[in-house]
Amino acid sequence: MYKYDNYDQAMVDARVEEFRDQARRRLEGKITEDQFKPLRLMNGLYLQLHAYMLRVAIPYGTLDSRQMRALADIADKYDRGYGHFTTRQNIQYNWIKLEEAADILADLAKVEMHAIQTSGNCIRNISSDHFAGAAADELVDPRPYAELLRQWSSFHPEFSYLPRKFKIAVIASERDRAAMRLHDIGIQIVKQDGELGAAFYVGGGMGRTPMIAPCINPFVPLDQLVTYCEAALRVYNRHGRRDNKYKARIKILVHELGAEEYTRQVDEEYAHLLEQGIEPPLAELDRIRSYFEDPLFDINASTDVDRSDPDFALWVDRNTVPHKAPGHVSAVISLKPVGGIPGDATAEQMRLMADLAKDYSFDELRVMHTQNIVLPHVRMSDLHALWTALDEAGLGSPNLDTVEDIIACPGLDYCSLANARSIPVAQKIAQRFADNGKTGTLGELKLKISGCINACGHHHAGHIGILGVDRKGVENYQLLLGGSEAEDVSLAKITGPGFDEDGIVDAVETVTGVYESERQDGERFLDTYRRIGMNPFKEALYG
């Protein structure tokens, strides 16, 4: 993984002291909240319902045991003993005091971490495939390119005050494990005539107007990656709406201009920038790439796994993923115990995950956009010892990609923007299916919950999605079906009138019952929905 050089460290340290002075002036009343707000947001500090929330960047989801332990220490020292891992591969702390915020940033800087550009109208944390560098199906590790874009986008003077927030994802396989086409810019590393390049998808996003990004260029040479990104951002920065925040995202610009006209303008800007020579030298990419070389995998690692313990065997079947190196797997640590809060981990659990990463995964962890944690490089012979430690700590739930593996935003329990609670709904649904024993029989079923139209829980991309809304002061939950964030990307559609909290749990059980009665061999819930359409589900829900 990438390590800071002197320039990186100096830049982050300087930002800490800059923010320390800004926070001091706010606490002393020398600047108003309106003046302070854009300053704190650029440092990841939100004012939520009950306290400040700090969002810490974990670039492309990669961190080591030292950094995970530091996150645990922050949870204990400055919060209430836990943190919340998010759909952008970050971590959030929900109970922060303003007078201590700069100290947290200083503690982060000591372990090569920060909260820079995790909010505000700027380029946010660059996300990627959580199995990058381990997946058997990738063309190349996409993280060096994500890191190059992170360095390019950090403090970029032209893109620090965009019309709206901006999100980029980078993948390098046909399988999309990063919701790439639901980003402002999605980049897929591809191969054409034996040469690697980048396919650019621009104008995706969720929120109140969900859109799937069209491909505007199927092949950009990798030595022009930054130049093309800059061209795409320049056109957006030039024409993006600043008079209406609801129409300010790039997806609206691409939609209103049309993909063809937007592409024409990007290509024109791209040609101009190529003459300016703004692309970082290849030596810089080579320097970055050197940090992402494969660990020394055991080429003689055994592929034998003792499956005599049925609980262990179930976890292996559900929570491990094939690896490019024989005798190894990627092991997913579920942060979705039945009855728990999706994405939350206690400080003690973070420290355990750090220890397990050091013992079993070459000192590396990944944060998934599904709010779980991955140990990317685990020998199969170590799986039982790993599972035993996880199970004892409440981290051994065998539920990857099942109805219990729910994405949920913090909702009205924490967020000042939310209209409804998400966490209790997620807890009740997981408990319902754990109790009725259908989790395993339903197979792959991705359920996502948002507490407002901003869609931080990605409800538009759920096989089953739930959106909490306010109906005359009462929490109401709309049910959506048919979404996908993967390579078969689609947007979910609302079934009809919403439900109360208990009713939405019943509704989820109802639609899964339709799936069970209608599915054909090998069909996922999503496949059955696409084959039979919405009507059978609506009939079961509403009669």
Side-chain angles (χ1 to χ4, degrees):
M1 58 179 287
Y2 183 74
K3 298 294 183 183
Y4 283 9
D5 60 14
N6 291 336
Y7 178 81
D8 295 314
Q9 192 65 53
M11 181 176 71
V12 172
D13 289 343
R15 173 47 69 99
V16 172
E17 293 312 309
E18 178 184 60
F19 180 74
R20 189 182 298 280
D21 180 63
Q22 293 165 348
R24 177 187 58 78
R25 286 186 286 139
R26 174 71 189 107
L27 288 165
E28 292 174 355
K30 294 180 179 178
I31 58 175
T32 66
E33 171 56 25
D34 286 343
Q35 293 170 323
F36 183 55
K37 182 178 179 179
L39 304 176
R40 63 172 169 79
L41 287 177
M42 289 292 279
N43 289 277
L45 194 66
Y46 286 75
L47 185 57
Q48 298 277 48
L49 277 178
H50 312 293
Y52 284 98
M53 178 271 279
L54 180 68
R55 179 181 296 146
V56 177
I58 305 176
Y60 38 88
T62 297
L63 70 166
D64 61 21
S65 61
R66 178 185 61 139
Q67 293 169 325
M68 183 65 93
R69 286 193 191 93
L71 297 178
D73 292 343
I74 288 169
D76 273 342
K77 186 176 180 180
Y78 301 105
D79 201 277
R80 297 186 175 181
Y82 68 94
H84 177 73
F85 290 94
T86 79
T87 55
R88 284 213 63 70
Q89 300 180 294
N90 295 317
I91 187 173
Q92 295 178 179
Y93 298 99
N94 291 309
W95 300 96
I96 300 302
K97 298 176 182 177
L98 178 56
E99 55 267 32
E100 295 178 335
D103 292 334
I104 302 174
L105 298 182
D107 288 352
L108 289 168
K110 293 173 185 175
V111 293
E112 303 175 41
M113 299 186 79
H114 62 74
I116 297 164
Q117 293 180 202
T118 57
S119 184
N121 294 337
C122 55
I123 299 172
R124 302 283 186 91
N125 189 43
I126 309 293
S127 61
S128 188
D129 185 346
H130 37 250
F131 297 130
D137 63 344
E138 67 183 10
L139 291 172
V140 66
D141 189 339
R143 292 176 300 160
Y145 305 99
E147 174 60 28
L148 183 70
L149 292 173
R150 184 195 71 82
Q151 295 191 23
W152 159 76
S153 63
S154 295
F155 301 121
H156 195 302
E158 191 172 345
F159 306 140
S160 292
Y161 293 95
L162 292 165
R164 199 71 174 89
K165 59 186 176 180
F166 205 91
K167 301 175 182 181
I168 300 174
V170 187
I171 66 173
S173 66
E174 290 296 325
R175 290 283 307 278
D176 183 0
R177 292 175 284 260
M180 181 267 297
R181 291 188 65 188
L182 295 171
H183 281 71
D184 298 284
I185 292 181
I187 298 171
Q188 181 182 359
I189 308 298
V190 295
K191 183 175 283 189
Q192 180 176 296
D193 299 327
E195 180 185 357
L196 289 175
F200 270 75
Y201 296 82
V202 181
M206 287 181 262
R208 66 179 56 240
T209 312
M211 293 185 182
I212 297 169
C215 182
I216 69 163
N217 194 323
F219 191 88
V220 175
L222 284 181
D223 60 358
Q224 298 170 13
L225 179 70
V226 168
T227 304
Y228 200 85
C229 273
E230 181 122 356
L233 263 296
R234 277 192 168 193
V235 174
Y236 168 54
N237 204 22
R238 187 178 300 144
H239 298 300
R241 297 279 296 270
R242 285 182 162 85
D243 61 327
N244 184 336
K245 72 176 184 178
Y246 301 117
K247 297 184 178 181
R249 297 292 294 271
I250 193 173
K251 61 189 177 183
I252 303 298
L253 177 66
V254 173
H255 175 73
E256 292 186 348
L257 282 179
E260 184 177 346
E261 172 60 18
Y262 173 76
T263 302
R264 186 195 67 77
Q265 293 193 31
V266 171
D267 288 345
E268 186 177 88
E269 188 68 36
Y270 175 50
H272 166 70
L273 289 174
L274 285 174
E275 296 177 354
Q276 308 304 307
I278 70 166
E279 192 75 24
L282 284 176
E284 175 60 13
L285 179 57
D286 289 339
R287 182 187 74 85
I288 291 171
R289 192 183 286 117
S290 69
Y291 289 104
F292 295 92
E293 294 179 353
D294 286 344
L296 295 175
F297 299 125
D298 180 1
I299 60 174
N300 298 311
S302 172
T303 59
D304 293 334
V305 176
D306 182 354
R307 300 174 57 87
S308 58
D309 183 335
D311 292 334
F312 168 63
L314 180 63
W315 180 82
V316 170
D317 289 341
R318 288 187 181 167
N319 282 48
T320 66
V321 177
H323 196 282
K324 67 182 182 181
H328 295 73
V329 295
S330 294
V332 176
I333 302 173
S334 173
L335 300 185
K336 317 283 182 62
V338 173
I341 298 174
D344 275 14
T346 67
E348 291 78 8
Q349 289 174 328
M350 288 186 231
R351 292 189 183 99
L352 173 65
M353 290 189 286
D355 290 341
L356 296 175
K358 195 163 189 178
D359 291 342
Y360 299 119
S361 188
F362 296 92
D363 199 25
E364 191 171 333
L365 308 99
R366 309 282 177 78
V367 182
M368 303 173 71
H369 87 271
T370 54
Q371 300 176 288
N372 293 316
I373 304 295
V374 180
L375 298 183
H377 313 298
V378 179
R379 287 180 298 193
M380 296 175 74
S381 58
D382 289 331
L383 282 174
H384 193 272
L386 171 62
W387 169 77
T388 300
L390 290 172
D391 195 48
E392 290 174 352
L395 294 170
S397 297
N399 57 16
L400 177 65
D401 290 340
T402 70
V403 69
E404 295 176 20
D405 187 16
I406 299 168
I407 287 178
C409 71
L412 196 54
D413 287 304
Y414 296 100
C415 182
S416 57
L417 300 177
N419 302 120
R421 294 172 298 163
S422 299
I423 293 170
V425 174
Q427 291 171 317
K428 287 183 177 182
I429 292 172
Q431 190 67 60
R432 173 73 61 88
F433 284 90
D435 291 344
N436 67 25
K438 291 187 177 181
T439 297
T441 61
L442 293 173
E444 180 185 314
L445 205 171
K446 298 184 179 182
L447 198 155
K448 307 176 192 294
I449 306 173
S450 299
C452 78
I453 198 67
N454 289 304
C456 294
H458 295 188
H459 63 277
H460 295 297
H463 298 176
I464 298 175
I466 296 172
L467 169 62
V469 297
D470 185 313
R471 288 281 184 265
K472 298 180 179 180
V474 177
E475 293 171 71
N476 185 268
Y477 296 91
Q478 296 177 347
L479 184 67
L480 299 88
L481 303 177
S484 173
E485 82 284 8
E487 61 281 357
D488 60 350
V489 59
S490 59
L491 298 173
K493 297 180 179 179
I494 297 174
T495 58
F499 305 86
D500 63 17
E501 186 174 303
D502 290 329
I504 193 66
V505 180
D506 293 337
V508 171
E509 188 169 31
T510 296
V511 298
T512 59
V514 174
Y515 161 59
E516 286 184 291
S517 65
E518 297 287 344
R519 66 180 168 186
Q520 296 178 354
D521 288 346
E523 281 190 333
R524 304 169 297 167
F525 178 92
L526 182 61
D527 301 324
T528 300
Y529 169 82
R530 287 174 172 173
R531 179 173 55 81
I532 68 175
M534 177 70 83
N535 285 339
F537 295 96
K538 292 183 71 169
E539 181 68 24
L541 287 167
Y542 305 109

